[in-house]
Amino acid sequence: MDSESTLSSDRDQMDLLRIPIFLFLLIILTFVLRRAWMADDAYITLRSVDNWMHGFGPVFNPGYRVQAYTHPLWMLVLAGFYMLTHEASYTTIAINLALTAFMLGWMVRFSRKDLGMLIALLLLGFSSSFIDYSTSGLENTLSHALIVVFITLYTTALAEQRRVGWAALCGGLLVLNRLDLSLIVFPALAYGLWKWRSWFAVKWLVLGLSPVLAWEIFSIIYYGMPFPNTYYAKLNAGIPNVEMIRQGIVYIFATLRNDPITLAGIGMGTVLPLIMRRKELYPLILGILFYLGYILWIGGDFMEGRFLSVPLVSAAMIISMTWSGPHNTWVAALAGA
């Protein structure tokens, strides 16, 4: 068979896989829409937004400068749209749905392996953690969108140093969306900085992280504290660390019992690059493991799966970029051969 025939055959296989990918996308978005909801914690942020729009500042109770929300960037996004619509619930759900559609579209656009993309979509579609927190009114959907863009920019920046600023900016926005996500981002940024070891990389890394620095300065001046109130309330409650870790284990096992696909997907996304020796992805794996350790350390959360959706989306993006698998066998099975 000549080279042109081989190329044509490969193209036909790619086109065949695009059909189930498109169908899975529609199915996932349908699942998300059917299960759209608003968590009670989302209204903490929305109340702060409403008070801000009425001239009381971004606070939960007028007259008391306390940062009750844990996601500054998400709060700013909600405030921007609230100014336009003057409505909270449906506006928030619409933003969640738009971000979920963007995230899935980005994954498909920048995935490098069609089979990997199919596996990633299957994991996301059957994960209660992902489906539940693709709405909810919380910051998860913005984190999902930012993490897939960050992973793309990070891998691109390793090959093209001029992209390091965009990767750093996206990582900074992710941290601004939720400060504890710095555990996922910083190993990759540190590896990129070590790889280039240039003032160019240092300059753009600092510029990229400047939104986080700007917010911290504002938070100290306006609220009197660098972190949200929940940090001081939850992590300094006087509970022994061993009890917190035990509760974190209970949180993980509850997910294993009720939503095993989520943990399976995270495990698959962290093991696959090791098997395929994709060393540039090791810092991302390390970040996911750091974040899982953090979940154990803080005792999990009262909302099952909330803290696991971002590690899952990270793992799914890694799978979509790396898993090629037995391509011909998969295509033959789909074709009914």
Side-chain angles (χ1 to χ4, degrees), residues 89-318:
S89 298
Y90 291 113
T91 300
T92 303
I93 289 176
I95 299 170
N96 282 153
L97 292 172
L99 286 169
T100 298
F102 169 82
M103 183 274 294
L104 292 171
W106 184 279
M107 284 186 67
V108 172
R109 170 66 179 82
F110 289 98
S111 67
R112 297 169 190 170
K113 308 290 181 182
D114 278 359
L115 180 56
M117 189 67 245
L118 277 174
I119 299 297
L121 289 178
L122 281 170
L123 290 170
L124 294 177
F126 285 98
S127 164
S128 293
S129 175
F130 174 76
I131 297 296
D132 288 345
Y133 293 99
S134 288
T135 52
S136 82
L138 297 171
E139 79 289 336
N140 294 62
T141 51
L142 183 54
S143 296
H144 297 166
L146 288 171
I147 194 64
V148 297
V149 175
F150 172 75
I151 291 174
T152 305
L153 293 174
Y154 158 73
T155 53
T156 303
L158 293 180
E160 301 179 50
Q161 187 180 7
R162 60 189 179 86
R163 301 292 182 92
V164 69
W166 291 110
L169 177 61
C170 189
L173 292 176
L174 190 62
V175 175
L176 184 58
N177 197 45
R178 189 172 177 91
L179 288 173
D180 51 24
L181 292 177
S182 59
L183 293 169
I184 293 181
V185 170
F186 281 169
L189 292 179
Y191 175 74
L193 188 61
W194 174 84
K195 176 179 172 62
W196 290 113
R197 295 192 291 275
S198 68
W199 284 112
F200 177 88
V202 172
K203 177 185 70 174
W204 284 107
L205 183 65
V206 171
L207 287 175
L209 296 176
S210 60
V212 181
L213 178 61
W215 176 263
E216 289 303 309
I217 293 172
F218 166 78
S219 183
I220 292 172
I221 294 173
Y222 187 82
Y223 293 112
M225 296 179 178
F227 305 122
N229 188 56
T230 50
Y231 168 83
Y232 304 99
K234 292 181 179 179
L235 298 187
N236 296 281
I239 301 173
N241 289 336
V242 65
E243 292 296 329
M244 299 292 284
I245 295 173
R246 183 180 291 117
Q247 186 57 39
I249 294 173
V250 169
Y251 180 79
I252 296 296
F253 271 91
T255 303
L256 184 62
R257 181 179 64 252
N258 301 322
D259 185 20
I261 293 295
T262 293
L263 292 179
I266 294 172
M268 194 181 299
T270 53
V271 170
L272 188 61
L274 299 177
I275 295 174
M276 302 187 70
R277 298 183 180 180
R278 294 287 299 275
K279 294 183 179 180
E280 76 278 9
L281 298 177
Y282 290 0
L284 294 171
I285 296 173
L286 187 61
I288 292 173
L289 295 177
F290 279 165
Y291 195 72
L292 293 177
Y294 164 77
I295 293 172
L296 290 174
W297 181 259
I298 65 172
D301 185 62
F302 75 96
M303 286 184 279
E304 186 177 298
R306 177 187 178 185
F307 286 168
L308 294 172
S309 71
V310 176
L312 174 64
V313 171
S314 304
M317 186 63 184
I318 291 172

Side-chain angles (χ1 to χ4, degrees), residues 47-59 75-76 79-80 222:
R47 174 166 169 157
S48 300
V49 168
D50 186 66
N51 282 332
W52 187 13
M53 296 300 106
H54 285 86
F56 300 112
V59 297
M75 186 277 296
L76 293 172
Y222 187 82

